[in-house]
Amino acid sequence: MKFRLKYNAPVILTFALLCSAVFLLSLVYGPSFLSDWFVTHRGPLSSVHTWLSMFTYVLGHASLEHFMSNMMLLLLVGPVVEEKYGAKNTLIIIVFTAVLTAWANMAVTSNGLIGCSGVVFAFIILCSMKILRSLMRRGEVPFR
């Protein structure tokens, strides 16, 4: 029996690899590497760094536990989302969720934001909706 590796969810797998690379680099270069590039910064909107951090914070993680839990959930539900909605829409969901979450965080607090927990939560919601829709098409409503 031959086993083949298949890159069947390119957006999710590439996203997970980028998160892994940033996490490994943060171990090598220390916390300042993360805080400089991978934490949201509440700064002037004219600053490129403020805008860039609205996208890059989802790649950084504060600890091994944070990284592992996000990657476990991302790799569990992400491919389902990418299969259902397609690679392009999955990328749009990631970017939209990252920016929306960054804006919301900056509006209510001056604390930085790090990690892809918001993206993972969006994927969990989308998977739940997919399952609920398929159950309702069959005329079933889950009640436990």
Side-chain angles (χ1 to χ4, degrees), residues 34-109:
L34 280 179
S35 64
D36 287 346
W37 296 103
F38 300 99
V39 176
T40 57
H41 294 282
R42 187 177 189 181
L45 292 178
S46 60
S47 168
V48 173
H49 194 260
T50 301
W51 284 97
L52 189 61
S53 72
M54 288 185 207
F55 298 97
T56 60
Y57 79 92
V58 294
L59 300 174
H61 290 84
S63 67
L64 178 62
E65 293 81 13
H66 184 214
F67 172 75
M68 294 300 285
S69 63
N70 274 341
M71 289 304 104
M72 178 190 66
L73 289 168
L74 177 73
L75 293 172
L76 184 67
V77 297
V80 175
V81 170
E82 189 166 346
E83 180 183 337
K84 170 71 176 162
Y85 298 101
K88 180 181 172 187
N89 288 333
T90 301
L91 183 60
I92 290 168
I93 292 165
I94 291 171
V95 171
F96 180 77
T97 303
V99 172
L100 184 67
T101 307
W103 272 92
N105 183 68
M106 288 180 200
V108 298
T109 182

